[in-house]
Amino acid sequence: LWTGSQAAIIFNATFVHPAKFYLNGFSNIPHVKYYYVFLCFVYIMTVVGNCFLLSVIYLVKTLHTPKYMIVFNLAFTDLCGSTTLIPKVLDTFLFDRRYIVYEACLSYMFFVFVFAGMQSWTLVIMAYDRFIAICFPLRYHSIVTKPAIAAMLLFSWFCLSSVMAVMVGFINRLSFCGSLVVQSFYCDHAPVFRLACNDTSINVVMAWIVFIILVCIPVILIGLTYVSISIALSRIASAERLKAMKTCTSHLMLVAVFFLPVLGTNITSVSSYIHPNARIINSTLTHTIPAMLNPIIYSLKTEEVLNSIRKLCKRNRLSNTTLSKKVTS
């Protein structure tokens, strides 16, 4: 790995950076090509589903509300996250292009983590929206405004991009003078920094900080939100309670689909041994399945979206009928 095009580049005689890394995910898995076909199907469904949801929100003016600004952001993030990850995974392993340029590896890492972080924090902002709607219904329209939601989303994008830039910056301060084989399906943070031959203590701290920001804090905030919602619901009539709970079901399903696999994989890896291939497959599913399911859950479980889809279909039928009449006349 250190010869020819893979020779190391030395910066200031202090940090030794390789020209390329070698991604070693999905090694020795029987019939792995079927899994790549499955990932391709997941990506197609993700693109179709999220583009459809984005189009519905954009075209239907009644959905131009703060709540659907958050949904729009989630669909956009899901689409970008999957596009960052799945095509590159298929290109790397299906066509056996496992070498990745050092700079491209760091960029890859940055974007995967930024989009994963935005998925997580968009779910937090959704929980905040439900919290205000149920606990402070009379003040909802004065608190949850378009400028307020836009500010929250932009702040999340800025903070997460800054944290991930720092995380990737610390990788750039490492020297890689041993193996350059990354035991993952993409340039994951921990598998990359563990290859370094100098002190990685700051990278370990950064890994914990990122895990706390991306998983722990969002889960705690969403949990506290639903505790408050449960207390508020216990004080109202049962008919109103059922109606209010229905508005939360789609969000709770999104939270479960996103966080349960992440928590399950991390808890299992800490408490017991997971075969590297099992960890890699779990990780790919954790990164890809939620983005595919989110638009399906939101389209099927939210009455406003279903009604908007029906309106669009009726509008298209009417326009097609009018057009055909004009052509006939």
Side-chain angles (χ1 to χ4, degrees), residues 282-295:
N282 282 343
S283 189
T284 52
L285 294 175
T286 301
H287 276 280
T288 56
I289 296 297
M292 180 186 74
L293 293 179
N294 287 350

Side-chain angles (χ1 to χ4, degrees), residues 56-292:
V56 169
I57 295 169
Y58 177 76
L59 292 170
V60 180
K61 287 186 178 179
T62 54
L63 297 181
H64 293 184
T65 61
K67 178 185 173 180
Y68 284 96
M69 281 175 68
I70 308 168
V71 177
F72 189 94
N73 187 75
L74 182 65
F76 174 74
T77 307
D78 286 340
L79 183 63
C80 291
S82 291
T83 301
T84 301
L85 192 68
I86 300 177
K88 182 62 183 170
V89 167
L90 294 174
D91 179 62
T92 301
F93 298 103
L94 191 58
F95 301 105
D96 202 27
R97 296 169 182 161
R98 293 176 178 244
Y99 286 103
I100 183 166
V101 175
Y102 175 80
E103 291 79 10
C105 184
L106 298 192
S107 299
Y108 194 11
M109 185 190 300
F110 172 79
F111 285 110
V112 168
F113 274 85
V114 166
F115 291 128
M118 269 314 298
Q119 284 174 311
S120 181
W121 279 93
T122 304
L123 291 173
V124 174
I125 298 169
M126 276 185 174
Y128 168 77
D129 172 77
R130 292 299 83 212
F131 167 72
I132 299 297
I134 293 167
C135 297
F136 305 98
L138 299 176
R139 296 176 59 196
Y140 177 77
H141 292 291
S142 62
I143 296 172
V144 182
T145 60
K146 286 183 182 179
I149 294 300
M152 291 172 80
L153 291 170
L154 287 170
F155 182 74
S156 299
W157 278 105
F158 174 76
C159 289
L160 287 165
S161 299
S162 301
V163 170
M164 300 317 158
V166 171
M167 180 189 79
V168 172
F170 282 130
I171 291 282
N172 211 35
R173 294 180 62 81
L174 296 175
S175 289
F176 298 90
C177 44
S179 172
L180 300 177
V181 179
V182 179
Q183 299 294 341
S184 185
F185 64 98
Y186 75 104
C187 287
D188 200 354
H189 182 238
V192 170
F193 80 69
R194 283 175 188 149
L195 298 176
C197 52
N198 55 341
D199 182 32
T200 59
S201 55
I202 190 70
N203 302 91
V204 173
V205 171
M206 202 66 215
W208 278 105
I209 289 169
V210 168
F211 179 71
I212 289 165
I213 291 170
L214 263 61
V215 180
C216 299
I217 294 174
V219 167
I220 290 165
L221 289 176
I222 292 168
L224 290 172
T225 299
Y226 276 98
V227 167
S228 302
I229 288 170
S230 301
I231 293 166
L233 290 176
S234 66
R235 295 172 183 163
I236 62 175
S238 57
E240 289 294 318
R241 190 185 307 158
L242 190 64
K243 189 180 175 183
M245 283 172 69
K246 278 184 178 177
T247 66
C248 297
T249 52
S250 54
H251 178 253
L252 283 170
M253 288 172 75
L254 298 181
V255 169
V257 163
F258 183 80
F259 286 109
L260 288 179
V262 174
L263 290 169
T265 303
N266 282 283
I267 290 165
T268 309
S269 63
V270 170
S271 60
S272 61
Y273 172 76
I274 304 181
H275 191 277
N277 285 337
R279 181 182 59 78
I280 285 166
I281 287 171
N282 282 343
S283 189
T284 52
L285 294 175
T286 301
H287 276 280
T288 56
I289 296 297
M292 180 186 74

